[in-house]
Amino acid sequence: FAAAYIGFVLFQVACIFSFIRFANRTEIGLCHRIRKLAFARLQEQPFSYYDHTPVGYLIARMTNDTQRLGDTVGWGLVDLLWGGCYVIFTAVTMFRLNWKMTLVVLAVVPPIAVISVYFQKKILSSYRTVRKTNSKITGAFNEGIMGAKTTKTLVREEASCEEFYALTGTMRRASVRAALWSALFLPLVVSLGSISTALALVRGGGLVFAAVLDFGTLAAFISYTTQLFDPIQQLANILAEMQAAQASAERVIDLLDTKPDIVDTPEVTARFGTAFAPRKENWPPIEGKVEFCDV
């Protein structure tokens, strides 16, 4: 028995280590890959792109949005995998104990699904505003630092502060709204889980008094019911976090999908190469002569 117990503990340790290693590699690898692709895309853009795109937008997408996406995908996948497997295992065990009581317990799953869809829309809308405002604030930081000399020369320190306070106020209101929706979502899931446990107690207690079900089976069933909703609550929390990650993902994908206004034809690319793989041996010699005609 001792050897089996030690083996089980070692197996758990190996699984936990593998999960953590997988999550870290996914997070770091995803961030590295996205930033590499985004930086390459920025190198392909013409000068006009940087004339109408604030630097803060680009910095926010390359740093905050990418990191949020990597964190959620890396660790969220591990939690989803663990929580999903645990829920399935617990539900199968409960069906083996008493399938009628299990159906009573699972009756709260449809309301949880409806609430999840509703709150996901609200949370996603709020986080889109948060990420958009965060880019504007990053842009304001950049402009404030780069244009400090101009600001002092024109004596517009007070106006710049008022503009920045307006941005941060918008960010604060959107963040509070997003946090409020997230904070309301989890207690509702917990409450429905408690209602499910209460229904199982009422149904199981009646069966125990009717001598149809023994007390030990009822105790085990209630224990499994409590354990069933622990991962469901965690999954609900992960879904709320994924709404923030979805808002970040939309902004990152928008950057990656931005096509340059100037694109070389296939014939030019085949002969002279690209910016990242040039064929300098085919480049014509540069004379270095500039002419102005009819200026």
Side-chain angles (χ1 to χ4, degrees):
F1 177 78
Y5 179 76
I6 293 174
F8 179 72
V9 171
L10 292 176
F11 174 74
Q12 283 187 317
V13 171
C15 289
I16 293 172
F17 176 80
S18 300
F19 278 140
I20 294 176
R21 180 179 175 84
F22 170 76
N24 280 326
R25 290 176 64 89
T26 302
E27 175 191 351
I28 297 173
L30 183 62
C31 290
H32 175 263
R33 179 64 175 170
I34 291 177
R35 285 169 178 163
K36 185 177 179 180
L37 292 174
F39 190 78
R41 177 64 72 185
L42 291 176
Q43 305 307 304
E44 298 173 350
Q45 301 300 330
F47 290 121
S48 59
Y49 176 80
Y50 298 96
D51 291 336
H52 61 74
T53 305
V55 177
Y57 281 37
L58 302 177
I59 294 176
R61 283 171 168 82
M62 294 285 287
T63 56
N64 296 337
D65 291 331
T66 303
Q67 188 63 49
R68 171 61 70 91
L69 183 59
D71 290 342
T72 305
V73 172
W75 294 99
L77 286 177
V78 173
D79 292 337
L80 283 174
L81 179 62
W82 175 85
C85 293
Y86 193 88
V87 168
I88 293 174
F89 172 78
T90 306
V92 170
T93 305
M94 291 170 63
F95 269 109
R96 294 184 61 184
L97 288 175
N98 191 302
W99 66 271
K100 293 183 179 180
M101 289 178 57
T102 303
L103 292 178
V104 172
V105 171
L106 296 181
V108 300
V109 172
I112 290 178
V114 173
I115 291 174
S116 298
V117 172
Y118 176 78
F119 274 86
Q120 284 173 17
K121 293 181 179 178
K122 295 293 185 180
I123 295 171
L124 178 58
S125 175
S126 299
Y127 272 117
R128 281 174 176 164
T129 305
V130 169
R131 303 315 305 171
K132 183 178 180 180
T133 309
N134 180 69
S135 294
K136 293 181 179 180
I137 291 176
T138 307
F141 273 130
N142 178 76
E143 294 172 359
I145 295 172
M146 299 297 293
K149 186 180 296 185
T150 304
T151 300
K152 290 182 177 296
T153 302
L154 300 178
V155 196
R156 67 180 317 274
E157 292 91 345
E158 185 175 354
S160 297
C161 287
E162 290 178 357
E163 293 171 0
F164 189 76
Y165 292 157
L167 282 176
T168 54
T170 303
M171 178 75 168
R172 180 179 181 275
R173 289 189 295 272
S175 300
V176 170
R177 185 165 57 250
L180 179 62
W181 285 112
S182 298
L184 288 174
F185 179 45
L186 188 58
L188 286 175
V189 176
V190 173
S191 299
L192 289 174
S194 301
I195 292 173
S196 176
T197 304
L199 292 175
L201 280 171
V202 172
R203 174 66 178 173
L207 294 177
V208 169
F209 280 112
V212 178
L213 186 71
D214 61 274
F215 183 77
T217 303
L218 175 62
F221 192 88
I222 297 302
S223 176
Y224 279 119
T225 302
T226 306
Q227 296 176 25
L228 175 67
F229 284 95
D230 284 341
I232 289 180
Q233 295 167 15
Q234 294 181 9
L235 293 176
N237 191 26
I238 294 170
L239 289 176
E241 293 179 358
M242 282 189 170
Q243 301 312 303
Q246 181 176 342
S248 298
E250 290 172 352
R251 294 162 52 79
V252 172
I253 292 174
D254 180 66
L255 174 61
L256 295 176
D257 288 343
T258 302
K259 302 297 183 182
D261 296 332
I262 302 173
V263 181
D264 293 329
T265 61
E267 293 78 13
V268 172
T269 302
R271 181 176 179 183
F272 300 110
T274 64
F276 301 101
R279 295 184 176 180
K280 296 184 178 181
E281 65 275 6
N282 296 334
W283 289 7
I286 299 176
E287 298 180 5
K289 183 173 68 174
V290 178
E291 253 183 56
F292 288 89
C293 300
D294 301 325
V295 178

